[in-house]
Amino acid sequence: MMSSSHAHHLKSVLTLSLISILFGAIAVVLTWIGNLNCQFVKFTTENTDENYTIQFGIWYFQYWTAAASIDGTFIFESCHHYPSHTNSGEPIAPDIQWKTARAFSILTFLFGISLFLYNIFLSCRAPTQRLFTSPLEGMGYLLASFCSGMTLILLDSQLCTDNVLMEGVKEAYPDLDWTETCSISKGARSVITATVFYFLAGVASLQGYRMEVNEERDESGLSEPLFPEENNGDNGN
């Protein structure tokens, strides 16, 4: 019969496992929101009565479309892929920081989704055939946290410091005073939060694995006899 201490220990391990899975799933959703929208960084106006904002993402940029009708003019906001050239013919070529941010965003997706599928696969197996956690899962979450954090290198790219699309906006609206560099927006905040959730998921998974391994080691030690059996074959009696 399972002892109360063992049941309590198993409950703690199971709780840590569920926490790591839940935090990992939340991080994947936040990664999706942060990396695949067009609101990672933004430029805003300064010293103006009305506040205007233009936003850019890792893969997309904010775009407006004006549609005129008999009821007036309507402006629709959407996210578009970056073109190869601006309207003035100036090329848009991502620098090394921008490319690095894109690479790490892809790696974050791969780690996050792979760990999610890995947990689904493990949940289909019988509890007697698996541990609730594994070092592979914990290290994977920590790597995902590192990759997620590295996407913030976009803040040091030309998208923030030498944005050719913003130069066109400044020429079109010379009366507006825009910020010289970008600031973080919704997407970057989502990525920062995802980085924290990936890290917490990794810590919870590794802690659960350590507790589970220690419990199995203690059980195997208790199952051994305190005194080895004597070899009666050598006894003449």
Side-chain angles (χ1 to χ4, degrees):
M1 184 175 181
M2 184 182 297
S3 64
S4 60
S5 61
H6 177 72
H8 177 74
H9 195 92
L10 184 62
K11 182 179 179 181
S12 299
V13 172
L14 181 58
T15 300
L16 288 172
S17 176
L18 293 176
I19 288 175
S20 67
I21 294 173
L22 177 62
F23 282 6
I26 294 174
V28 169
V29 174
L30 291 171
T31 299
W32 182 279
I33 295 174
N35 287 335
L36 293 184
N37 66 17
C38 53
Q39 298 178 353
F40 198 93
V41 297
K42 62 183 179 180
F43 290 85
T44 57
T45 54
E46 298 177 321
N47 304 322
T48 56
D49 295 334
E50 295 185 16
N51 185 26
Y52 297 95
T53 301
I54 295 181
Q55 307 195 71
F56 300 88
I58 298 177
W59 302 94
Y60 308 96
F61 71 102
Q62 196 176 41
Y63 189 85
W64 293 274
T65 303
S69 68
I70 58 175
D71 296 325
T73 302
F74 299 91
I75 299 178
F76 300 94
E77 178 186 339
S78 59
C79 293
H80 282 213
H81 281 286
Y82 287 98
S84 58
H85 293 79
T86 63
N87 293 334
S88 61
E90 189 172 356
I92 301 177
D95 59 1
I96 184 63
Q97 289 87 353
W98 193 349
K99 292 179 180 178
T100 301
R102 286 183 167 182
F104 276 111
S105 71
I106 294 174
L107 289 175
T108 305
F109 270 120
L110 292 177
F111 279 119
I113 295 176
S114 297
L115 288 167
F116 180 74
L117 296 177
Y118 175 76
N119 280 309
I120 292 178
F121 169 75
L122 286 184
S123 64
C124 295
R125 303 181 63 185
T128 56
Q129 296 178 343
R130 67 178 177 91
L131 296 174
F132 288 104
T133 57
S134 71
L136 178 64
E137 177 186 347
M139 293 304 299
Y141 280 130
L142 294 180
L143 284 174
S145 176
F146 172 77
C147 293
S148 179
M150 286 299 295
T151 59
L152 296 174
I153 199 174
L154 186 73
L155 298 172
D156 194 38
S157 70
Q158 68 181 29
L159 193 64
C160 280
T161 59
D162 188 22
N163 193 317
V164 293
L165 292 174
M166 277 304 304
E167 293 301 323
V169 173
K170 293 176 181 179
E171 293 177 1
Y173 302 96
D175 296 334
L176 296 178
D177 186 16
W178 295 92
T179 54
E180 291 298 325
T181 186
C182 71
S183 58
I184 64 173
S185 190
K186 298 177 183 178
R189 293 189 185 96
S190 295
V191 167
I192 292 173
T193 308
T195 302
V196 175
F197 271 104
Y198 276 129
F199 180 79
L200 294 177
V203 172
S205 179
L206 291 176
Q207 177 65 13
Y209 176 75
R210 185 182 68 83
M211 293 176 62
E212 198 168 2
V213 170
N214 289 340
E215 177 70 9
E216 287 193 349
R217 185 183 298 115
D218 293 341
E219 286 184 353
S220 62
L222 291 175
S223 62
E224 295 179 358
L226 296 178
F227 300 99
E229 297 181 0
E230 295 182 358
N231 189 354
N232 296 328
D234 295 336
N235 194 342
N237 298 328

